[in-house]
């Protein structure tokens, strides 16, 4: 069976109960985290903002860190086509120049148009020293699976010959993350102007050139 394009892959399986009450809790948590920060947020305040009792809140999310990560995962679904619960990325039947361009477009557009997710990532970075397990959970649950899937894809392509696909995956993803941090989180759009299409085109061209089989 022919694999689907990146934008048509099967829906992500939820990592939390999928119902109106869970959505209500996540909506309340988003308000508290984005207005008060991670440290000041409490399960009491989140329960009040969500309009649920504390026992109900704890029946869905056992602690603040788990709730925060569920919120990040929920918001990430719109802009991460390599989320860990998608089908094996090596089965995607697309040439690498098309796949990588779709991936770059999806990531850049999704994050840029998702201010709530950018705010939460800013919180993770800002609170990483005081709450290292929060930052480590983000790396473990979101970044690690994405990079592993991308490395699998790059290593499976006969057109590409990267000596270390994981390094190639981190270079590709890292370039996108650097762009988003500088342009969006650090308000650098006017200082270092660069269109996302230009970045995506250049990045894909570099990946394809770097992945060419060396002349023997």
């Amino acid at each position: 069976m022919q694999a689907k394009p990146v934008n048509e892959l099967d829906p992500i399986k939820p990592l939390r109960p999928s119902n109106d009450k869970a959505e209500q809790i996540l909506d309340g948590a988003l308000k508290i985290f984005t207005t008060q920060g991670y440290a000041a947020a409490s399960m009491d305040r989140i329960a009040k903002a969500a309009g649920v009792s504390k026992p109900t809140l704890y029946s869905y999310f056992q602690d603040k860190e788990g709730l925060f990560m569920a919120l990040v995962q929920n918001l990430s679904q719109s802009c991460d086509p390599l989320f860990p619960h998608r089908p094996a990325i090596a089965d995607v039947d697309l040439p690498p120049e098309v796949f990588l361009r779709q991936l770059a477009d999806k990531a850049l557009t999704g994050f840029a148009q998702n201010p709530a997710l950018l705010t939460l990532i800013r919180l993770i970075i800002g609170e990483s020293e005081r709450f290292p397990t929060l930052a480590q959970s983000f790396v473990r649950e979101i970044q690690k699976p994405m990079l592993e899937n991308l490395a699998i894809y790059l290593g499976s392509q006969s057109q590409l010959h990267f000596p270390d696909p994981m390094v190639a995956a981190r270079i590709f993803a890292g370039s996108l993350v650097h762009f988003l941090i500088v342009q969006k989180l650090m308000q650098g759009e006017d200082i270092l102007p660069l269109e996302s299409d230009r970045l995506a085109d250049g990045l894909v061209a570099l990946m394809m050139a770097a992945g060419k089989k060396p002349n023997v």
Side-chain angles (χ1 to χ4, degrees), residues 3 20 30-31 59 65-66 76 83 88-89 91-92 94 105 109 117 133 148 157 160-161 166 175 182 184 212:
D20 291 342
L30 179 61
K31 294 175 185 176
S59 71
E65 180 182 327
S76 297
F83 214 70
I89 208 66
D91 294 336
V92 175
L94 286 173
D105 288 343
T109 301
L117 180 58
T133 58
E148 289 176 343
Q157 299 302 297
L160 300 175
H161 301 273
M166 177 55 78
S175 298
V182 171
K184 301 300 179 182
K212 282 185 179 179

Side-chain angles (χ1 to χ4, degrees), residues 2 5 9 13 21-22 38 41-42 54 57-58 70 73 77 87 103 112 118 132 151 161 164 185 187 190 215:
Q2 185 176 8
L9 289 174
K13 295 178 183 178
K21 187 66 69 174
Y38 183 80
S42 67
K54 282 187 68 177
L57 175 59
Y58 280 108
Q73 289 173 334
Q77 291 179 7
L103 175 57
L118 289 173
H161 301 273
D164 190 332
L185 296 184
Q187 313 298 323
D190 294 332
N215 295 325

Side-chain angles (χ1 to χ4, degrees), residues 182-204:
V182 171
Q183 304 298 98
K184 301 300 179 182
L185 296 184
M186 301 183 70
Q187 313 298 323
E189 291 178 290
D190 294 332
I191 302 170
L192 285 171
L194 180 65
E195 298 83 4
S196 59
D197 283 343
R198 181 181 169 192
L199 174 75
D201 287 339
L203 183 56
V204 171

Side-chain angles (χ1 to χ4, degrees), residues 23-116:
E23 293 290 346
Q24 183 179 337
I25 292 171
L26 289 174
D27 287 344
L30 179 61
K31 294 175 185 176
I32 296 300
F33 284 127
T34 55
T35 58
Q36 300 184 15
Y38 183 80
S42 67
M43 295 295 266
D44 283 327
R45 291 177 177 177
I46 291 169
K48 184 176 180 180
V52 300
S53 66
K54 282 187 68 177
T56 297
L57 175 59
Y58 280 108
S59 71
Y60 284 92
F61 305 99
Q62 62 181 146
D63 55 33
K64 184 171 73 169
E65 180 182 327
L67 174 53
F68 186 90
M69 289 309 304
L71 183 58
V72 172
Q73 289 173 334
N74 184 57
L75 292 170
S76 297
Q77 291 179 7
S78 65
C79 53
D80 187 358
L82 289 179
F83 214 70
H85 293 276
R86 290 196 179 278
I89 208 66
D91 294 336
V92 175
D93 188 20
L94 286 173
E97 65 271 18
V98 176
F99 174 81
L100 291 174
R101 180 56 199 260
Q102 287 190 10
L103 175 57
D105 288 343
K106 187 77 171 179
L108 292 173
T109 301
F111 275 95
Q113 296 178 355
N114 197 334

Side-chain angles (χ1 to χ4, degrees), residues 145-190:
M146 182 272 289
L147 289 169
E148 289 176 343
N149 280 340
L150 181 53
I152 290 171
Y153 173 82
L154 294 175
S156 72
Q157 299 302 297
S158 60
Q159 306 98 310
L160 300 175
H161 301 273
F162 292 111
D164 190 332
M166 177 55 78
V167 171
R170 294 189 71 154
I171 289 171
F172 183 82
S175 298
L176 299 176
V177 171
H178 177 269
F179 177 83
L180 289 166
I181 289 176
V182 171
Q183 304 298 98
K184 301 300 179 182
L185 296 184
M186 301 183 70
Q187 313 298 323
E189 291 178 290
D190 294 332

